[in-house]
Amino acid sequence: MDFHQELQKLIENYRAHYLPSVSLDLVIFGFSQNQLKVLLVQLKKSNDWLLPGGRVGKAENLDDAAHRTLRERTGLDQLFLQQFHTFGQVNRLTYFSWPETLKRLGGVEELIAELGIDDTNYRDVSVGYYALVDFTKVHPTPDSLTDECRWWDVAQVPPLLFDHNDMIGLALKTLRRQLSYQPVGYTLLPEQFTMTELQTLYETILGRSLDRRNFYKQMMSYNILERMEKRPTIPSSKAPYLYRFHKERYEQLLNAENLSIG
Amino acid sequence: MDFHQELQKLIENYRAHYLPSVSLDLVIFGFSQNQLKVLLVQLKKSNDWLLPGGRVGKAENLDDAAHRTLRERTGLDQLFLQQFHTFGQVNRLTYFSWPETLKRLGGVEELIAELGIDDTNYRDVSVGYYALVDFTKVHPTPDSLTDECRWWDVAQVPPLLFDHNDMIGLALKTLRRQLSYQPVGYTLLPEQFTMTELQTLYETILGRSLDRRNFYKQMMSYNILERMEKRPTIPSSKAPYLYRFHKERYEQLLNAENLSIG
């Protein structure tokens, strides 16, 4: 099957099985040690990068579609995945001309005409989700329209197709805000970790350094960390304490409103 | 024009001018003195209440569609209006059977058949927005499908059509969380107000009382309040100070990430 046939089949499949006018895009952040990355895919036969995305099945819940897409792209399931914003500017797909992008894929002019796609009538409202994963544990998988998946440092993301740079910006802003009222990191740290490791995680996501004492106070105030015994094998009295998350309280806090006011 | 014709015209209009599969719903909170209300509309020829909603024009930005819908329902423009979640459960329109609802409107069986609407294939993903207005300044206007608009106390909302009770719950949760990191109330208080009036606003939205000193400290820490001179006409030295919002800093804070951590 050549690429044109593949694309045609894909679009026929879309029309038969997926909702029109609605898509979803995933901002998959990858953390490991002191690096924060984001997963991008490269469109076939092009140099263009974009976020991995998907569509919503006609009989599929929106959140299920997002989890399915994440699973298809990363092989991971049951991840922290959160809807953060729905993008609905009329021209969002024409920030970069969509027909031009398709044309560059080769031999698809007639398909574009047949689909009636042009800059003025092709439009999706796209629901943005973000996930936070340990990128050393993920093996990203390209889909049929993309050649390559690659982790990019969040500070070095290239210009992307469509409004995808804006999506990353808002996802990062939302994730950072979330740190101030919800705990993050259950899946990103070893089961037992030092306060310094936890602080490094927060500093990496926030992109700035934090005061050590204030951080300690705030974390302990959440009442979700259990301090472990020091390992007897380490002789020094200066060995750092190890902590682990109290899973149940962590989940409670994730679902709580947790207002600091009053 | 009878109601059937009106409905048919409405749906033809939808098909010609609006995106398929996407709708929007508005949770319009109304505050005045110590009451928090929400605006509901009643479906024609029924006892069923629901949130005011709308659709997105084929050439209309999503946010513009939300503002237009708000303007159409309340006569107000340029309001604080915020997207909070997109609702995409497959069965969200069938929590209450949609065809049954249409049928109750009278004489529309053939229209339902013509439209191909049944519980299994009629589906919208709906983008939820919430607004906060002074309900004494709003004159709600029903649309062509609804008989009446009414302010309901948030604690006394009746069972609503579709997933609209869930929408109000999540909008309220989001608004309450927002109070902990962003200032709210610019349009809900007189230009000059006492700290007690501001605290009453917060307590009413949160649905619980707040510690007076902590509240004062937190509000002053935002650095958005200007303390005014006491009115010389009030003799008592115990006359409360009046404050007003510093508009520019208020806007800055609305757009800032404003992390309390670290």
Side-chain angles (χ1 to χ4, degrees), chain A residues 59-79:
Chain A
E60 185 179 38
N61 294 326
L62 177 60
D63 286 347
D64 294 340
H67 278 282
R68 174 182 52 74
T69 306
L70 179 65
R71 195 170 54 240
E72 287 168 2
R73 288 287 79 67
T74 65
L76 290 182
D77 210 342
Q78 303 293 333
L79 286 181

mmCIF file with all atom_site columns, all heavy atoms in Angstrom, chain A residues 59-79:
data_model
loop_
_atom_site.group_PDB
_atom_site.id
_atom_site.type_symbol
_atom_site.label_atom_id
_atom_site.label_alt_id
_atom_site.label_comp_id
_atom_site.label_asym_id
_atom_site.label_entity_id
_atom_site.label_seq_id
_atom_site.pdbx_PDB_ins_code
_atom_site.Cartn_x
_atom_site.Cartn_y
_atom_site.Cartn_z
_atom_site.occupancy
_atom_site.B_iso_or_equiv
_atom_site.pdbx_formal_charge
_atom_site.auth_seq_id
_atom_site.auth_comp_id
_atom_site.auth_asym_id
_atom_site.auth_atom_id
_atom_site.pdbx_PDB_model_num
ATOM 1   N N   . ALA A 1 59 ? -18.147 6.080  19.520 1.00 0.00 ? 59 ALA A N   1
ATOM 2   C CA  . ALA A 1 59 ? -18.721 5.503  20.738 1.00 0.00 ? 59 ALA A CA  1
ATOM 3   C C   . ALA A 1 59 ? -17.659 5.396  21.839 1.00 0.00 ? 59 ALA A C   1
ATOM 4   O O   . ALA A 1 59 ? -17.646 4.456  22.631 1.00 0.00 ? 59 ALA A O   1
ATOM 5   C CB  . ALA A 1 59 ? -19.326 4.138  20.445 1.00 0.00 ? 59 ALA A CB  1
ATOM 6   N N   . GLU A 1 60 ? -16.786 6.371  21.876 1.00 0.00 ? 60 GLU A N   1
ATOM 7   C CA  . GLU A 1 60 ? -15.686 6.337  22.839 1.00 0.00 ? 60 GLU A CA  1
ATOM 8   C C   . GLU A 1 60 ? -15.731 7.586  23.706 1.00 0.00 ? 60 GLU A C   1
ATOM 9   O O   . GLU A 1 60 ? -15.874 8.706  23.198 1.00 0.00 ? 60 GLU A O   1
ATOM 10  C CB  . GLU A 1 60 ? -14.361 6.297  22.049 1.00 0.00 ? 60 GLU A CB  1
ATOM 11  C CG  . GLU A 1 60 ? -13.109 6.142  22.889 1.00 0.00 ? 60 GLU A CG  1
ATOM 12  C CD  . GLU A 1 60 ? -11.838 6.080  22.028 1.00 0.00 ? 60 GLU A CD  1
ATOM 13  O OE1 . GLU A 1 60 ? -11.762 6.817  21.019 1.00 0.00 ? 60 GLU A OE1 1
ATOM 14  O OE2 . GLU A 1 60 ? -10.933 5.314  22.362 1.00 0.00 ? 60 GLU A OE2 1
ATOM 15  N N   . ASN A 1 61 ? -15.577 7.406  25.028 1.00 0.00 ? 61 ASN A N   1
ATOM 16  C CA  . ASN A 1 61 ? -15.490 8.556  25.912 1.00 0.00 ? 61 ASN A CA  1
ATOM 17  C C   . ASN A 1 61 ? -14.240 9.370  25.577 1.00 0.00 ? 61 ASN A C   1
ATOM 18  O O   . ASN A 1 61 ? -13.195 8.793  25.243 1.00 0.00 ? 61 ASN A O   1
ATOM 19  C CB  . ASN A 1 61 ? -15.419 8.115  27.375 1.00 0.00 ? 61 ASN A CB  1
ATOM 20  C CG  . ASN A 1 61 ? -16.691 7.443  27.850 1.00 0.00 ? 61 ASN A CG  1
ATOM 21  O OD1 . ASN A 1 61 ? -17.788 7.796  27.422 1.00 0.00 ? 61 ASN A OD1 1
ATOM 22  N ND2 . ASN A 1 61 ? -16.539 6.459  28.731 1.00 0.00 ? 61 ASN A ND2 1
ATOM 23  N N   . LEU A 1 62 ? -14.348 10.684 25.718 1.00 0.00 ? 62 LEU A N   1
ATOM 24  C CA  . LEU A 1 62 ? -13.223 11.563 25.404 1.00 0.00 ? 62 LEU A CA  1
ATOM 25  C C   . LEU A 1 62 ? -11.963 11.177 26.181 1.00 0.00 ? 62 LEU A C   1
ATOM 26  O O   . LEU A 1 62 ? -10.875 11.042 25.604 1.00 0.00 ? 62 LEU A O   1
ATOM 27  C CB  . LEU A 1 62 ? -13.639 13.009 25.719 1.00 0.00 ? 62 LEU A CB  1
ATOM 28  C CG  . LEU A 1 62 ? -12.620 14.116 25.554 1.00 0.00 ? 62 LEU A CG  1
ATOM 29  C CD1 . LEU A 1 62 ? -12.125 14.209 24.126 1.00 0.00 ? 62 LEU A CD1 1
ATOM 30  C CD2 . LEU A 1 62 ? -13.216 15.455 26.002 1.00 0.00 ? 62 LEU A CD2 1
ATOM 31  N N   . ASP A 1 63 ? -12.091 10.967 27.484 1.00 0.00 ? 63 ASP A N   1
ATOM 32  C CA  . ASP A 1 63 ? -10.918 10.610 28.286 1.00 0.00 ? 63 ASP A CA  1
ATOM 33  C C   . ASP A 1 63 ? -10.332 9.265  27.863 1.00 0.00 ? 63 ASP A C   1
ATOM 34  O O   . ASP A 1 63 ? -9.118  9.070  27.879 1.00 0.00 ? 63 ASP A O   1
ATOM 35  C CB  . ASP A 1 63 ? -11.282 10.559 29.777 1.00 0.00 ? 63 ASP A CB  1
ATOM 36  C CG  . ASP A 1 63 ? -11.458 11.955 30.368 1.00 0.00 ? 63 ASP A CG  1
ATOM 37  O OD1 . ASP A 1 63 ? -11.065 12.943 29.726 1.00 0.00 ? 63 ASP A OD1 1
ATOM 38  O OD2 . ASP A 1 63 ? -12.002 12.048 31.492 1.00 0.00 ? 63 ASP A OD2 1
ATOM 39  N N   . ASP A 1 64 ? -11.211 8.328  27.490 1.00 0.00 ? 64 ASP A N   1
ATOM 40  C CA  . ASP A 1 64 ? -10.722 7.028  27.028 1.00 0.00 ? 64 ASP A CA  1
ATOM 41  C C   . ASP A 1 64 ? -9.924  7.183  25.735 1.00 0.00 ? 64 ASP A C   1
ATOM 42  O O   . ASP A 1 64 ? -8.924  6.494  25.524 1.00 0.00 ? 64 ASP A O   1
ATOM 43  C CB  . ASP A 1 64 ? -11.890 6.059  26.794 1.00 0.00 ? 64 ASP A CB  1
ATOM 44  C CG  . ASP A 1 64 ? -12.603 5.699  28.094 1.00 0.00 ? 64 ASP A CG  1
ATOM 45  O OD1 . ASP A 1 64 ? -11.982 5.877  29.167 1.00 0.00 ? 64 ASP A OD1 1
ATOM 46  O OD2 . ASP A 1 64 ? -13.759 5.248  28.037 1.00 0.00 ? 64 ASP A OD2 1
ATOM 47  N N   . ALA A 1 65 ? -10.373 8.081  24.872 1.00 0.00 ? 65 ALA A N   1
ATOM 48  C CA  . ALA A 1 65 ? -9.652  8.325  23.624 1.00 0.00 ? 65 ALA A CA  1
ATOM 49  C C   . ALA A 1 65 ? -8.251  8.870  23.911 1.00 0.00 ? 65 ALA A C   1
ATOM 50  O O   . ALA A 1 65 ? -7.274  8.491  23.249 1.00 0.00 ? 65 ALA A O   1
ATOM 51  C CB  . ALA A 1 65 ? -10.435 9.296  22.743 1.00 0.00 ? 65 ALA A CB  1
ATOM 52  N N   . ALA A 1 66 ? -8.160  9.736  24.909 1.00 0.00 ? 66 ALA A N   1
ATOM 53  C CA  . ALA A 1 66 ? -6.856  10.298 25.263 1.00 0.00 ? 66 ALA A CA  1
ATOM 54  C C   . ALA A 1 66 ? -5.937  9.214  25.817 1.00 0.00 ? 66 ALA A C   1
ATOM 55  O O   . ALA A 1 66 ? -4.758  9.126  25.442 1.00 0.00 ? 66 ALA A O   1
ATOM 56  C CB  . ALA A 1 66 ? -7.031  11.420 26.282 1.00 0.00 ? 66 ALA A CB  1
ATOM 57  N N   . HIS A 1 67 ? -6.467  8.346  26.690 1.00 0.00 ? 67 HIS A N   1
ATOM 58  C CA  . HIS A 1 67 ? -5.659  7.255  27.239 1.00 0.00 ? 67 HIS A CA  1
ATOM 59  C C   . HIS A 1 67 ? -5.236  6.279  26.136 1.00 0.00 ? 67 HIS A C   1
ATOM 60  O O   . HIS A 1 67 ? -4.099  5.806  26.115 1.00 0.00 ? 67 HIS A O   1
ATOM 61  C CB  . HIS A 1 67 ? -6.431  6.514  28.339 1.00 0.00 ? 67 HIS A CB  1
ATOM 62  C CG  . HIS A 1 67 ? -6.354  7.198  29.673 1.00 0.00 ? 67 HIS A CG  1
ATOM 63  N ND1 . HIS A 1 67 ? -5.246  7.113  30.482 1.00 0.00 ? 67 HIS A ND1 1
ATOM 64  C CD2 . HIS A 1 67 ? -7.227  8.001  30.318 1.00 0.00 ? 67 HIS A CD2 1
ATOM 65  C CE1 . HIS A 1 67 ? -5.455  7.830  31.578 1.00 0.00 ? 67 HIS A CE1 1
ATOM 66  N NE2 . HIS A 1 67 ? -6.649  8.381  31.498 1.00 0.00 ? 67 HIS A NE2 1
ATOM 67  N N   . ARG A 1 68 ? -6.155  5.990  25.208 1.00 0.00 ? 68 ARG A N   1
ATOM 68  C CA  . ARG A 1 68 ? -5.818  5.089  24.098 1.00 0.00 ? 68 ARG A CA  1
ATOM 69  C C   . ARG A 1 68 ? -4.686  5.680  23.245 1.00 0.00 ? 68 ARG A C   1
ATOM 70  O O   . ARG A 1 68 ? -3.718  4.996  22.908 1.00 0.00 ? 68 ARG A O   1
ATOM 71  C CB  . ARG A 1 68 ? -7.059  4.837  23.237 1.00 0.00 ? 68 ARG A CB  1
ATOM 72  C CG  . ARG A 1 68 ? -6.779  4.033  21.966 1.00 0.00 ? 68 ARG A CG  1
ATOM 73  C CD  . ARG A 1 68 ? -8.013  3.825  21.099 1.00 0.00 ? 68 ARG A CD  1
ATOM 74  N NE  . ARG A 1 68 ? -8.752  5.043  20.770 1.00 0.00 ? 68 ARG A NE  1
ATOM 75  C CZ  . ARG A 1 68 ? -8.353  5.973  19.897 1.00 0.00 ? 68 ARG A CZ  1
ATOM 76  N NH1 . ARG A 1 68 ? -7.213  5.821  19.234 1.00 0.00 ? 68 ARG A NH1 1
ATOM 77  N NH2 . ARG A 1 68 ? -9.084  7.047  19.684 1.00 0.00 ? 68 ARG A NH2 1
ATOM 78  N N   . THR A 1 69 ? -4.805  6.969  22.951 1.00 0.00 ? 69 THR A N   1
ATOM 79  C CA  . THR A 1 69 ? -3.781  7.618  22.129 1.00 0.00 ? 69 THR A CA  1
ATOM 80  C C   . THR A 1 69 ? -2.429  7.596  22.847 1.00 0.00 ? 69 THR A C   1
ATOM 81  O O   . THR A 1 69 ? -1.389  7.324  22.240 1.00 0.00 ? 69 THR A O   1
ATOM 82  C CB  . THR A 1 69 ? -4.204  9.066  21.810 1.00 0.00 ? 69 THR A CB  1
ATOM 83  O OG1 . THR A 1 69 ? -5.506  9.044  21.223 1.00 0.00 ? 69 THR A OG1 1
ATOM 84  C CG2 . THR A 1 69 ? -3.235  9.710  20.838 1.00 0.00 ? 69 THR A CG2 1
ATOM 85  N N   . LEU A 1 70 ? -2.459  7.892  24.139 1.00 0.00 ? 70 LEU A N   1
ATOM 86  C CA  . LEU A 1 70 ? -1.220  7.858  24.914 1.00 0.00 ? 70 LEU A CA  1
ATOM 87  C C   . LEU A 1 70 ? -0.598  6.463  24.899 1.00 0.00 ? 70 LEU A C   1
ATOM 88  O O   . LEU A 1 70 ? 0.613   6.299  24.726 1.00 0.00 ? 70 LEU A O   1
ATOM 89  C CB  . LEU A 1 70 ? -1.509  8.281  26.361 1.00 0.00 ? 70 LEU A CB  1
ATOM 90  C CG  . LEU A 1 70 ? -0.309  8.283  27.318 1.00 0.00 ? 70 LEU A CG  1
ATOM 91  C CD1 . LEU A 1 70 ? 0.720   9.327  26.906 1.00 0.00 ? 70 LEU A CD1 1
ATOM 92  C CD2 . LEU A 1 70 ? -0.757  8.551  28.755 1.00 0.00 ? 70 LEU A CD2 1
ATOM 93  N N   . ARG A 1 71 ? -1.468  5.454  25.044 1.00 0.00 ? 71 ARG A N   1
ATOM 94  C CA  . ARG A 1 71 ? -0.982  4.079  25.042 1.00 0.00 ? 71 ARG A CA  1
ATOM 95  C C   . ARG A 1 71 ? -0.371  3.729  23.683 1.00 0.00 ? 71 ARG A C   1
ATOM 96  O O   . ARG A 1 71 ? 0.684   3.123  23.598 1.00 0.00 ? 71 ARG A O   1
ATOM 97  C CB  . ARG A 1 71 ? -2.151  3.135  25.364 1.00 0.00 ? 71 ARG A CB  1
ATOM 98  C CG  . ARG A 1 71 ? -1.766  1.730  25.740 1.00 0.00 ? 71 ARG A CG  1
ATOM 99  C CD  . ARG A 1 71 ? -2.975  0.960  26.283 1.00 0.00 ? 71 ARG A CD  1
ATOM 100 N NE  . ARG A 1 71 ? -4.107  0.984  25.381 1.00 0.00 ? 71 ARG A NE  1
ATOM 101 C CZ  . ARG A 1 71 ? -5.315  1.490  25.666 1.00 0.00 ? 71 ARG A CZ  1
ATOM 102 N NH1 . ARG A 1 71 ? -5.555  2.010  26.859 1.00 0.00 ? 71 ARG A NH1 1
ATOM 103 N NH2 . ARG A 1 71 ? -6.288  1.476  24.783 1.00 0.00 ? 71 ARG A NH2 1
ATOM 104 N N   . GLU A 1 72 ? -1.042  4.168  22.613 1.00 0.00 ? 72 GLU A N   1
ATOM 105 C CA  . GLU A 1 72 ? -0.538  3.877  21.268 1.00 0.00 ? 72 GLU A CA  1
ATOM 106 C C   . GLU A 1 72 ? 0.812   4.537  21.007 1.00 0.00 ? 72 GLU A C   1
ATOM 107 O O   . GLU A 1 72 ? 1.647   3.994  20.299 1.00 0.00 ? 72 GLU A O   1
ATOM 108 C CB  . GLU A 1 72 ? -1.566  4.343  20.211 1.00 0.00 ? 72 GLU A CB  1
ATOM 109 C CG  . GLU A 1 72 ? -2.800  3.443  20.137 1.00 0.00 ? 72 GLU A CG  1
ATOM 110 C CD  . GLU A 1 72 ? -3.937  4.050  19.314 1.00 0.00 ? 72 GLU A CD  1
ATOM 111 O OE1 . GLU A 1 72 ? -3.762  5.172  18.764 1.00 0.00 ? 72 GLU A OE1 1
ATOM 112 O OE2 . GLU A 1 72 ? -5.002  3.414  19.230 1.00 0.00 ? 72 GLU A OE2 1
ATOM 113 N N   . ARG A 1 73 ? 1.014   5.715  21.567 1.00 0.00 ? 73 ARG A N   1
ATOM 114 C CA  . ARG A 1 73 ? 2.262   6.456  21.296 1.00 0.00 ? 73 ARG A CA  1
ATOM 115 C C   . ARG A 1 73 ? 3.391   6.085  22.246 1.00 0.00 ? 73 ARG A C   1
ATOM 116 O O   . ARG A 1 73 ? 4.551   6.258  21.910 1.00 0.00 ? 73 ARG A O   1
ATOM 117 C CB  . ARG A 1 73 ? 2.035   7.959  21.373 1.00 0.00 ? 73 ARG A CB  1
ATOM 118 C CG  . ARG A 1 73 ? 1.247   8.601  20.249 1.00 0.00 ? 73 ARG A CG  1
ATOM 119 C CD  . ARG A 1 73 ? 2.004   8.699  18.945 1.00 0.00 ? 73 ARG A CD  1
ATOM 120 N NE  . ARG A 1 73 ? 2.015   7.426  18.243 1.00 0.00 ? 73 ARG A NE  1
ATOM 121 C CZ  . ARG A 1 73 ? 0.951   6.829  17.707 1.00 0.00 ? 73 ARG A CZ  1
ATOM 122 N NH1 . ARG A 1 73 ? -0.228  7.366  17.765 1.00 0.00 ? 73 ARG A NH1 1
ATOM 123 N NH2 . ARG A 1 73 ? 1.076   5.666  17.106 1.00 0.00 ? 73 ARG A NH2 1
ATOM 124 N N   . THR A 1 74 ? 3.083   5.656  23.461 1.00 0.00 ? 74 THR A N   1
ATOM 125 C CA  . THR A 1 74 ? 4.142   5.444  24.446 1.00 0.00 ? 74 THR A CA  1
ATOM 126 C C   . THR A 1 74 ? 4.205   4.011  24.957 1.00 0.00 ? 74 THR A C   1
ATOM 127 O O   . THR A 1 74 ? 5.172   3.637  25.608 1.00 0.00 ? 74 THR A O   1
ATOM 128 C CB  . THR A 1 74 ? 3.937   6.333  25.696 1.00 0.00 ? 74 THR A CB  1
ATOM 129 O OG1 . THR A 1 74 ? 2.720   5.916  26.354 1.00 0.00 ? 74 THR A OG1 1
ATOM 130 C CG2 . THR A 1 74 ? 3.852   7.797  25.323 1.00 0.00 ? 74 THR A CG2 1
ATOM 131 N N   . GLY A 1 75 ? 3.182   3.214  24.679 1.00 0.00 ? 75 GLY A N   1
ATOM 132 C CA  . GLY A 1 75 ? 3.136   1.872  25.245 1.00 0.00 ? 75 GLY A CA  1
ATOM 133 C C   . GLY A 1 75 ? 2.758   1.871  26.722 1.00 0.00 ? 75 GLY A C   1
ATOM 134 O O   . GLY A 1 75 ? 2.692   0.826  27.341 1.00 0.00 ? 75 GLY A O   1
ATOM 135 N N   . LEU A 1 76 ? 2.531   3.062  27.281 1.00 0.00 ? 76 LEU A N   1
ATOM 136 C CA  . LEU A 1 76 ? 2.218   3.133  28.717 1.00 0.00 ? 76 LEU A CA  1
ATOM 137 C C   . LEU A 1 76 ? 0.717   3.326  28.945 1.00 0.00 ? 76 LEU A C   1
ATOM 138 O O   . LEU A 1 76 ? 0.030   3.918  28.141 1.00 0.00 ? 76 LEU A O   1
ATOM 139 C CB  . LEU A 1 76 ? 2.965   4.285  29.373 1.00 0.00 ? 76 LEU A CB  1
ATOM 140 C CG  . LEU A 1 76 ? 4.471   4.120  29.512 1.00 0.00 ? 76 LEU A CG  1
ATOM 141 C CD1 . LEU A 1 76 ? 5.062   5.321  30.216 1.00 0.00 ? 76 LEU A CD1 1
ATOM 142 C CD2 . LEU A 1 76 ? 4.816   2.841  30.265 1.00 0.00 ? 76 LEU A CD2 1
ATOM 143 N N   . ASP A 1 77 ? 0.269   2.800  30.074 1.00 0.00 ? 77 ASP A N   1
ATOM 144 C CA  . ASP A 1 77 ? -1.147  2.867  30.393 1.00 0.00 ? 77 ASP A CA  1
ATOM 145 C C   . ASP A 1 77 ? -1.288  3.385  31.821 1.00 0.00 ? 77 ASP A C   1
ATOM 146 O O   . ASP A 1 77 ? -0.330  3.442  32.569 1.00 0.00 ? 77 ASP A O   1
ATOM 147 C CB  . ASP A 1 77 ? -1.750  1.467  30.288 1.00 0.00 ? 77 ASP A CB  1
ATOM 148 C CG  . ASP A 1 77 ? -3.217  1.543  29.876 1.00 0.00 ? 77 ASP A CG  1
ATOM 149 O OD1 . ASP A 1 77 ? -3.816  2.623  30.005 1.00 0.00 ? 77 ASP A OD1 1
ATOM 150 O OD2 . ASP A 1 77 ? -3.738  0.520  29.432 1.00 0.00 ? 77 ASP A OD2 1
ATOM 151 N N   . GLN A 1 78 ? -2.468  3.749  32.174 1.00 0.00 ? 78 GLN A N   1
ATOM 152 C CA  . GLN A 1 78 ? -2.764  4.122  33.559 1.00 0.00 ? 78 GLN A CA  1
ATOM 153 C C   . GLN A 1 78 ? -1.863  5.232  34.058 1.00 0.00 ? 78 GLN A C   1
ATOM 154 O O   . GLN A 1 78 ? -1.437  5.243  35.202 1.00 0.00 ? 78 GLN A O   1
ATOM 155 C CB  . GLN A 1 78 ? -2.593  2.897  34.490 1.00 0.00 ? 78 GLN A CB  1
ATOM 156 C CG  . GLN A 1 78 ? -3.425  1.714  34.119 1.00 0.00 ? 78 GLN A CG  1
ATOM 157 C CD  . GLN A 1 78 ? -4.922  1.976  34.297 1.00 0.00 ? 78 GLN A CD  1
ATOM 158 O OE1 . GLN A 1 78 ? -5.301  2.792  35.118 1.00 0.00 ? 78 GLN A OE1 1
ATOM 159 N NE2 . GLN A 1 78 ? -5.748  1.318  33.515 1.00 0.00 ? 78 GLN A NE2 1
ATOM 160 N N   . LEU A 1 79 ? -1.535  6.148  33.168 1.00 0.00 ? 79 LEU A N   1
ATOM 161 C CA  . LEU A 1 79 ? -0.649  7.229  33.562 1.00 0.00 ? 79 LEU A CA  1
ATOM 162 C C   . LEU A 1 79 ? -1.441  8.420  34.063 1.00 0.00 ? 79 LEU A C   1
ATOM 163 O O   . LEU A 1 79 ? -2.607  8.583  33.764 1.00 0.00 ? 79 LEU A O   1
ATOM 164 C CB  . LEU A 1 79 ? 0.182   7.677  32.370 1.00 0.00 ? 79 LEU A CB  1
ATOM 165 C CG  . LEU A 1 79 ? 1.291   6.729  31.973 1.00 0.00 ? 79 LEU A CG  1
ATOM 166 C CD1 . LEU A 1 79 ? 2.044   7.301  30.804 1.00 0.00 ? 79 LEU A CD1 1
ATOM 167 C CD2 . LEU A 1 79 ? 2.227   6.502  33.149 1.00 0.00 ? 79 LEU A CD2 1
#
